[in-house]
Amino acid sequence: MIRQLIGLTLIGVGLAACDQARVDVSTSEAGPHVVAATDIEAGRYLVMTSGCNDCHTPGYAPSGGKVPESEWLKGSGMGFMGPWGTTYPHNLRRTVAGMTEDAWVEMLSTREDSAPMPWPSVRAMAEPDKRALYRYIKSLPLAGEPAPTALPPGQTPTTPYENMMPVMPTGG
Ligand code: HEC
């Protein structure tokens, strides 16, 4: 009897260890990523800490982040002009409204243009983080206009823009 009890206890401990192991394996398969009570909360945290608002939310950076969440990620009519032409941070609420979560993950994993969007950093995010971003942005109401269309190099924008053209110091 005692032996049976010990046996059962050992099986119980073994199963608990397996459960633990399963959790660990799935965590390490995904690599490091943000874990929060909900994916939406994780996505909100990522948006706040990864700089997305700095460009995609008008007035966010100049006001030191004092823009209400109701205005976040609505895109910007302030262009970034550089050797790549002039680009505008998209209205990400519209972006997620128009694509599936899998298409979003695919885009964040493969897209390379254009500056100054930090594509290399976004590409490096773990897949659960990319999904959390989508779920958070999708939880925001669809609002705001689409950003202006990007211009090729050499065209002067009719919108306000920041000049990011590299300037070499002239020798003196
Ligand atoms: C330094 C400014 C800057 C930052 C920071 C930034 N973006 Fe962008 N983003 C842009 C610009 C500019 C574009 C437009 C690029 C283009 O036209 O090719 C863009 C485009 C995008 C697009 C493509 C949208 C579409 O509809 O095609 C996605 C998605 C995106 N950004 C997500 C993010 C996320 C998520 C973050 C935060 C992790 C972020 N961006 C941070 C400037 C920025």
Side-chain angles (χ1 to χ4, degrees):
M1 179 66 185
I2 289 184
R3 255 171 92 179
Q4 271 169 349
L5 272 180
I6 291 174
L8 283 176
T9 312
L10 282 179
I11 290 172
V13 170
L15 285 176
C18 274
D19 271 359
Q20 192 58 49
R22 265 211 313 274
V23 170
D24 286 345
V25 168
S26 70
T27 307
S28 64
E29 266 172 10
H33 64 278
V34 170
V35 176
T38 63
D39 288 341
I40 290 179
E41 242 177 76
R44 184 174 188 275
Y45 171 84
L46 283 160
V47 163
M48 280 196 303
T49 55
S50 306
C52 316
N53 276 321
D54 287 344
C55 295
H56 288 271
T57 301
Y60 190 88
S63 70
K66 291 190 180 55
V67 174
E69 192 169 2
S70 57
E71 299 307 307
W72 288 10
L73 306 178
K74 283 185 178 174
S76 170
M78 171 71 77
F80 289 108
M81 194 186 74
W84 55 84
T86 305
T87 51
Y88 298 87
H90 291 88
N91 179 337
L92 297 183
R93 300 183 188 211
R94 287 183 173 270
T95 301
V96 297
M99 68 195 328
T100 63
E101 186 176 307
D102 283 344
W104 165 269
V105 171
E106 173 76 11
M107 175 171 75
L108 263 51
S109 307
T110 54
R111 199 159 142 180
E112 295 186 347
D113 68 333
S114 276
M117 168 62 200
W119 288 114
S121 311
V122 167
R123 274 204 306 277
M125 281 183 175
E127 186 175 322
D129 286 348
K130 291 172 181 152
R131 293 191 180 278
L133 278 172
Y134 180 92
R135 289 173 198 180
Y136 168 66
I137 301 169
K138 194 99 176 182
S139 78
L140 300 171
L142 179 57
E145 297 304 310
T149 308
L151 299 177
Q155 269 190 32
T156 309
T158 53
T159 64
Y161 63 95
E162 288 184 31
N163 190 343
M164 302 182 85
M165 280 295 186
V167 179
M168 295 306 286
T170 44

